[in-house]
Amino acid sequence: LHRVDRRQRQMCIRDSLGPTGVGKSETAKVLAEFISGGDPRLVKIDCSNFSHGHEVASLIGSPPGYVGHDQTPLLNKKRVEKYGTVVLFDEIEKGSEALYNLMLQILGDGALQLNDGTTTSFRNTMIILTSNLGAKEMSEHLSKTPIGFMSDNREEPSAEAINKSARKAFEEFFKPEFVNRLDGTIVYNPLNREGLGQVLENKLAEANYEYSESYGMEVALTDGTREYLVDKALEERGKGARPLVRAFEKDIQGSFGRYMGGGQLHQGYCLQVYHRSECPEDVQETFPDQDLIFTYHFDEALWQVREDFKERLAEEKRKAEEAKRRAEEEKNASQVVFDPGDQTPPDNTPEN
């Protein structure tokens, strides 16, 4: 991604194409956090909420005399004009013609006139459009991938051909004046086993970060467990990473919550998750009808992580209280107290 530097229009506009669940919207969220240095400035517009023309009034404000005129528009100056703001138009193909005409102002001039007479500038923003257009065509190309005995008779589609089919579907849906205002297009390919494996590692890392600092616990997955979860996601073709996330939340995080709520997990404990194909036989006999088998053990390093975290919290609280006390002392010292019983009030007359 890059920033286009033009005299009248200084912003970056990107269109993200690809099937559902491949990370188009997630990329915008991570990008907003990266640009702002940890304080994400993301304005998300769900275009499915603007499938009718009159609904765009919530973006620019209702005209005087209409219902909602006193409400603040979603694309107001305060939200949009902060440097580094990312404006996400999610699933742009579900919007109405009125929304597209509204966006032509933004994409062309880098500004949008609101119904209260003010103008919102987008010169310091990054605009991202996401769309599922072309997902069907991409899937059709991928279905032509040679498999088994048919590999000698079928030609494997190239990445360029797959991307071209997605761009063609997008350009056929939108008018040329809309497409020509985009700075570029990024095509997301469907997630394969390797990509889903990375999503699983990210979810596990996020969960363990919370578990270790909040409870002094963590979850450990064996290779067989990882393959089991990824295989479940691959069974639901065309849905991207969402089936994997649901399986992780239900099978792993849900089980963690049950074990912790049942009093079996305490500070310093690790919940080990096996697939039954690799689980020790003595443990496997205890869970004869389960694909995933859970055991737990104590880890002193985990216990120490939680202790260190509690010490940091206590130190931060002490520093905050000390800063508050000093601020109150400085405030009291700067105030002049006048005693009503004193007949001579303090002389604040400036000297000549």
Side-chain angles (χ1 to χ4, degrees):
L1 296 172
H2 66 281
R3 181 171 297 282
V4 180
D5 189 2
R6 302 175 185 170
R7 188 170 183 178
Q8 299 297 330
R9 173 181 170 275
Q10 184 181 0
M11 56 185 172
C12 182
I13 308 169
R14 278 287 185 269
D15 176 45
S16 300
L17 303 177
T20 182
V22 295
K24 301 185 296 294
S25 301
E26 186 66 21
T27 299
K29 296 176 184 177
V30 173
L31 183 62
E33 185 175 356
F34 174 78
I35 292 176
S36 60
D39 181 20
R41 299 170 181 171
L42 177 68
V43 179
K44 181 180 178 180
I45 307 298
D46 189 347
C47 296
S48 62
N49 294 330
F50 302 95
S51 57
H52 299 92
H54 66 276
E55 293 170 334
V56 300
S58 62
L59 298 177
I60 59 176
S62 300
Y66 285 77
V67 176
H69 176 65
D70 57 339
Q71 297 179 358
T72 304
L74 292 177
L75 295 178
N76 60 81
K77 296 168 69 71
K78 186 176 181 180
R79 293 188 69 191
V80 174
E81 293 189 353
K82 294 180 180 178
Y83 185 82
T85 298
V86 175
V87 181
L88 171 63
F89 289 90
D90 202 19
E91 296 185 320
I92 183 66
E93 74 277 9
K94 296 182 180 179
S96 63
E97 191 71 22
L99 176 63
Y100 303 150
N101 292 333
L102 194 73
M103 292 183 64
L104 285 176
Q105 294 184 48
I106 302 173
L107 305 183
D109 302 328
L112 177 66
Q113 186 172 0
L114 308 182
N115 277 330
D116 61 0
T118 62
T119 299
T120 299
S121 173
F122 288 77
R123 289 173 57 84
N124 291 323
T125 66
M126 180 174 291
I127 299 175
I128 297 179
L129 321 178
T130 68
S131 173
N132 293 328
L133 290 171
K136 179 180 178 181
E137 289 77 4
M138 293 175 69
S139 299
E140 290 175 352
H141 273 285
L142 289 172
S143 65
K144 299 177 183 178
T145 303
I147 301 175
F149 296 108
M150 302 181 66
S151 59
D152 294 334
N153 302 323
R154 300 174 67 180
E155 183 179 353
E156 182 176 359
S158 63
E160 182 180 356
I162 296 174
N163 294 348
K164 186 176 180 180
S165 65
R167 290 188 172 93
K168 181 179 179 182
F170 183 82
E171 293 171 359
E172 289 178 349
F173 185 88
F174 289 100
K175 296 179 180 179
E177 59 266 28
F178 187 92
V179 177
N180 290 337
R181 284 173 166 81
L182 302 178
D183 293 330
T185 300
I186 300 175
V187 179
Y188 289 69
N189 292 326
L191 291 175
N192 54 18
R193 177 177 293 274
E194 181 181 358
L196 289 171
Q198 186 59 56
V199 172
L200 176 59
E201 294 302 320
N202 291 342
K203 293 295 295 183
L204 179 62
E206 290 175 3
N208 277 335
Y209 179 81
E210 178 185 353
Y211 295 158
S212 62
E213 294 207 331
S214 299
Y215 312 113
M217 309 175 192
E218 74 171 14
V219 175
L221 307 182
T222 62
D223 291 341
T225 303
R226 287 175 166 86
E227 292 181 8
Y228 170 79
L229 293 173
V230 171
D231 286 341
K232 288 184 68 175
L234 288 173
E235 290 175 0
E236 301 186 47
R237 296 179 61 90
K239 296 184 179 180
R242 290 192 174 94
L244 175 62
V245 173
R246 286 196 297 268
F248 180 82
E249 292 174 348
K250 177 183 177 182
D251 297 339
I252 306 302
Q253 292 185 294
S255 298
F256 177 87
R258 287 192 295 272
Y259 275 90
M260 188 174 69
Q264 292 136 304
L265 296 180
H266 306 280
Q267 180 176 329
Y269 274 71
C270 173
L271 182 67
Q272 180 72 55
V273 188
Y274 293 94
H275 186 257
R276 67 177 300 101
S277 62
E278 58 183 355
C279 183
E281 292 185 3
D282 58 332
V283 178
Q284 192 175 130
E285 293 175 356
T286 311
F287 306 91
D289 300 323
Q290 293 184 204
D291 291 322
L292 296 181
I293 298 174
F294 301 85
T295 64
Y296 45 88
H297 60 274
F298 179 77
D299 187 337
E300 186 175 354
L302 283 176
W303 185 88
Q304 190 60 45
V305 168
R306 173 59 180 165
E307 292 301 306
D308 294 342
F309 180 66
K310 288 192 290 187
E311 290 182 6
R312 291 200 305 271
L313 287 179
E315 181 64 17
E316 291 174 0
K317 182 178 180 180
R318 186 191 65 78
K319 290 181 178 179
E321 292 176 349
E322 179 67 17
K324 182 179 180 181
R325 183 185 63 80
R326 290 181 179 178
E328 290 178 352
E329 290 178 353
E330 293 175 358
K331 180 180 179 181
N332 294 333
S334 64
Q335 293 177 348
V336 178
V337 180
F338 171 62
D339 185 1
D342 189 353
Q343 299 299 320
T344 57
D347 186 7
N348 295 326
T349 305
E351 296 181 359
N352 294 328

